[in-house]
Every structure is written in C-alpha cells, then in structure tokens.
Amino acid sequence: MASENIDVIGLKEEWNQLNEDFKELETTQKTYGKALDELVKFQVKCAKGIKHQRYRLEQISQSLKQIKQASADDRVELQELNRKLEYRKEQLHDLEEQLPSKNGPYLQVILGSVNVSLLNKDDRFKYKDEYEQFKLVVTTVILVLSFISIAVYYRVFDSILHFLLVWYYCTLTIRESILVINGSRMKGWWRTNHFLTTLQAGVIIVWPSGAVYQTFRKQFILFTLYSSFLQILQFFYQRGCLYRLRALGKRYNMDITIEGFHSWMWRGLSFLLPFLYFGYAFQLYNAYTLYQLSKSPECAEIWQVPVTAFSYLVLFLGNALTTSLVIQQKLKETLPYKQLINK
C-alpha cells in the first residue's frame, strides 16, 4: 500500500514539473510570436528604406548626367561621386538579399505566393549543396539508364528514361528559380537552356514509337549518355574551380555549378573545351538528322520531329555562341596583361 502511495506522489511531482515546463514553453512561444511580428515590421521598414535609397540614387544620377561642363577639380569630385553611387548600389543589393523576395512569374505559376526565401545563410548554403548533390545523383542515374537502354531495347526503359529527363529538367528549373530568389547570380542563357531542354524532353515523351523514332532512338540515347557524362565531368571540374575561387574570396558563396562555360572556369580550359564543343556539335548533328527524317516518306509525325530538330538547333546556337563569347571576352581581358608582362 505504501509503495502505491509513493508511486502516486511521484507521478504528481512529475506532473507538477511538467506543468511548470509547459508554462515556460507558453512564455517562450509568446515571445517568439512577438519576435515574428517585430521581424515582419523590420522587413517592411528595410524594404521601404532600400526603395527610398534607390529612388534618391536615381535622382542624383540623373542630375549628374545633366552636367555638361565642369572644372578639373569638379570633374574629380564628380568621378568620385559616381564611384560612391555604384558602390552604394552594390551595398543595397547585398542588403536586399537578406530580405524575403517575391516569387518570379515562373514560380508564381507553379507555387503561387508561397514564400521560398531562406533568410538564414546556413539554410541557403545547405539548399545550394542539396541542389548540387541532386544534380549529381540524378545525372548518374540517367547515365546508367542510358547504358541499359543501349544494351537492351525495351520500350519501358525508353519511357522511364524520357519521364526521368522531363522530371529532372523541370525540377532543375524550379530549384534554380528558388536559388535565384535566395541570392544565386545564375542568369542568362544557361538558365534558359534548362527551360528549352524541358520543353524538348516533353515533346520527345509524346513522340509515337514509329519508324522515325526507331531510326533516331539509338542516336538520341547516345547523345543522352554523352550529355550525362559531360555534366558529371563539368560538375567535378567546376566544383574545384569554385572551391579555389571562394577560398581566395573571388567568387560569391551562392555561385553554383552549371551547364556550359563561364569566365571563372578559365583555369584548365584546354581540358574541358573539347568535350563541350563536341557536345554542341552532337546537338547540331541531331538537328540535321531530324530535319532529314522530317522529309522522309516514313515520317508520320506532324510536329514532333520538326519541333525537336528546331530545339536542338536553338540549343546548339545558344551553347556555342555563349561559350565562344565568354572565351572572346576572357581573351580580351588576358591579352593586355600578357603584353604588360612581355614588356
């Protein structure tokens, strides 16, 4: 009987302790709620301040442009003011990255108004790393599946490969849009490339298994195989470049590995470029092959073949021109330095 009383007393003490802990939890929760309200107020205040700063900067810039004549001393002052204006714009950009961003049109259609801004730097870096690992894992799966599809012809494997490509590139466009909102500076053609590739994969997935598909099938799988190999090669090469440049403080921490060539990949260029341009030539060859097949009497497809051919042509032109322009720009930057060294 005594042991039962002891157990009851012990349980009551545990409950009382738990009750005290719950009261402390309620207090913490109220403090958390107030902090959230304060956070939103500060975010709105900062956003208004940044908007006001940009408005005033634009006014000052317009006033500077209206100055036609100035003395030598005034020109020095004006140049210094211009430099300060540009530096302030960079400061505002850095401040804005710490605030929640509105979804762009693409994310607005897919996710609506859901806030995908990550305010914590550690969370941003974690998301960026998960994006890189996602690319590596899925690309490796595509590589293996391409090998299987070449070795064994089975329509189910083809369908799995096509669905995987559509899902992969569609997911990439969403993840990259979220990365851009959270501070990644991925812009230009390489992001557009993924949108076009998603569209292309969607067209191929509805391509009927007719005579033209059978003719082009092996070439398409070989291209997918090589493209996956090239992406894995670029991943490890670019990751090494970014690691070195970030350690030297020359690259932004949210920069990511991407398809294609960028100016920061200049080191080791002779190793990577032949693989890249062979891939671009493969895209052109795909476009030519499909164009010829579209004129074949066996081509029963009304639009899939010519649309796929056109998409390969656009990808070839975009990839080759963008990479060539980056190389040309980098050569122009390097040439004066070499001339200076030779003097």
Side-chain angles (χ1 to χ4, degrees), residues 50-58 92-93 96:
I50 291 173
K51 185 178 180 181
H52 177 70
Q53 283 277 321
R54 284 191 171 142
Y55 173 74
R56 294 295 301 276
L57 287 175
E58 184 62 28
L92 291 175
H93 179 75
E96 194 172 39

Side-chain angles (χ1 to χ4, degrees), residues 177-188:
S177 297
I178 295 174
L179 280 167
V180 169
I181 285 179
N182 286 284
S184 175
R185 302 189 181 188
M186 180 184 182
K187 297 177 181 178

Side-chain angles (χ1 to χ4, degrees), residues 273-285:
L273 270 185
F275 292 98
L276 285 172
Y277 275 103
F278 181 79
Y280 303 157
F282 208 150
Q283 289 175 329
L284 180 61
Y285 179 59

